[in-house]
Amino acid sequence: MNPKIITIDGPSGVGKGTIALMVADYLGYNYLDSGSLYRSLALALSEKKIDLTKDIDDIEKNINELEIDFKYDKNGKTSIFVNKIEFTKKIRTEKVAKMASQIAKNAKARKMLEVVQRRYIKAPGLVADGRDMGTKVFNEANIKFFLTASVEKRAERRLNQLKDQGISANLPNLIHELLLRDKADTERTISPLVPANDAILVDTSEFSAAEVFNKIKELVDKNI
Ligand code: DC
């Protein structure tokens, strides 16, 4: 039987990572945080002094030289390693998020990362979160979700997340950064952030992670 695929897309800070991990854990499925691939790639390239705003001619060579690994511990914590060096914490800054948004406009980079992302399809199933999981990378997914929330709520959640990781930030700056990133993600020509035609929309603004998970769990139980 083919592995089942569940996609969870949505804008920055909507909580899709938290929910996707809860769903993956509930079903015993693999988990893919596609944003962390964009972040790791952007940071690795910028550490090699490659200008992300210019056309990266040898992107293929550069991407092939990068080995991106995820490790999960029993508590659902994910660690990310690029060429065996831990990137977990350093890809979570707003600076890296902005760089990821830049590399996300590069058609060649997206194509290469699509191949990398599809390698995560493994039995019994996969839960993948990102921007174009349901519209592009895993178009054949068995069930697709698109999460939304107001920019204020998303900034608040991001602030708490950063605080937990010991990274300082302030709310007005985060709102500003999120609005810029929403604009870049929705207005880019390739794979813009839009719900798939067959996606189930879930507004999470007024709900806790546990409440959103319960709603999604109900739909997954019925449809998977
Ligand atoms: O989900 P995130 O904040 O970690 O993603 C960082 C950036 O990566 C985001 O602004 C756009 C890009 N991205 C993308 O273009 N497509 C994806 N599937 C995931 C992320």
Side-chain angles (χ1 to χ4, degrees), residues 57 65 82 87 109 172 206:
D57 291 332
E65 280 172 4
V82 177
F87 266 42
E206 302 307 325

Side-chain angles (χ1 to χ4, degrees), residues 34-46:
S34 62
S36 70
L37 292 178
Y38 283 88
R39 286 170 183 258
S40 300
L41 173 63
L43 182 58
L45 292 177
S46 91

Side-chain angles (χ1 to χ4, degrees), residues 13 94 151-175 178:
E94 285 310 304
V151 70
E152 291 80 11
K153 276 273 177 235
R154 290 187 282 133
E156 248 173 56
R157 289 176 189 162
R158 181 52 59 96
L159 187 70
N160 291 332
Q161 217 175 38
L162 291 172
K163 258 194 210 154
D164 287 346
Q165 292 163 2
I167 301 169
S168 65
N170 78 61
L171 201 59
N173 274 354
L174 283 177
I175 292 179
L178 281 178

Side-chain angles (χ1 to χ4, degrees), residues 26-199:
Y26 168 66
L27 295 169
Y29 283 12
N30 302 295
Y31 167 58
L32 168 67
D33 164 8
S34 62
S36 70
L37 292 178
Y38 283 88
R39 286 170 183 258
S40 300
L41 173 63
L43 182 58
L45 292 177
S46 91
E47 283 183 348
K48 289 177 85 177
K49 306 273 176 270
I50 292 171
D51 183 348
L52 304 178
T53 59
K54 303 238 170 77
D55 187 31
I56 307 163
D57 291 332
D58 55 353
I59 187 105
E60 192 163 345
K61 179 174 160 285
N62 275 293
I63 293 177
N64 283 335
E65 280 172 4
L66 300 176
E67 193 192 301
I68 304 175
D69 291 313
F70 292 98
K71 291 209 172 86
Y72 307 103
D73 72 12
K74 288 193 294 291
N75 306 316
K77 206 174 146 273
T78 316
S79 307
I80 297 144
F81 295 83
V82 177
N83 294 342
K84 315 268 183 268
I85 297 167
E86 178 143 25
F87 266 42
T88 315
K89 212 166 159 186
K90 56 182 184 172
I91 58 166
R92 291 294 152 207
T93 63
E94 285 310 304
K95 189 170 163 224
V96 174
K98 219 186 275 171
M99 298 192 311
S101 209
Q102 258 161 7
I103 199 80
K105 285 191 266 185
N106 185 306
K108 280 188 233 163
R110 295 202 79 87
K111 228 179 162 152
M112 300 285 310
L113 283 182
E114 192 173 322
V115 177
V116 177
Q117 290 167 82
R118 290 199 57 91
R119 288 191 201 129
Y120 289 85
I121 305 177
K122 282 180 204 141
L126 171 71
V127 182
D129 83 57
R131 306 294 187 291
D132 59 345
M133 300 293 92
T135 49
K136 182 102 188 7
V137 182
F138 304 108
N139 204 326
E140 79 274 35
N142 301 79
I143 180 160
K144 303 176 182 178
F145 294 97
F146 191 91
L147 306 188
T148 58
S150 69
V151 70
E152 291 80 11
K153 276 273 177 235
R154 290 187 282 133
E156 248 173 56
R157 289 176 189 162
R158 181 52 59 96
L159 187 70
N160 291 332
Q161 217 175 38
L162 291 172
K163 258 194 210 154
D164 287 346
Q165 292 163 2
I167 301 169
S168 65
N170 78 61
L171 201 59
N173 274 354
L174 283 177
I175 292 179
H176 178 69
E177 299 288 349
L178 281 178
L179 287 173
L180 286 180
R181 226 138 44 86
D182 283 356
K183 190 168 154 57
D185 288 344
T186 51
E187 290 181 2
R188 71 168 170 253
T189 36
I190 6 154
S191 294
L193 172 68
V194 280
N197 290 335
D198 47 353

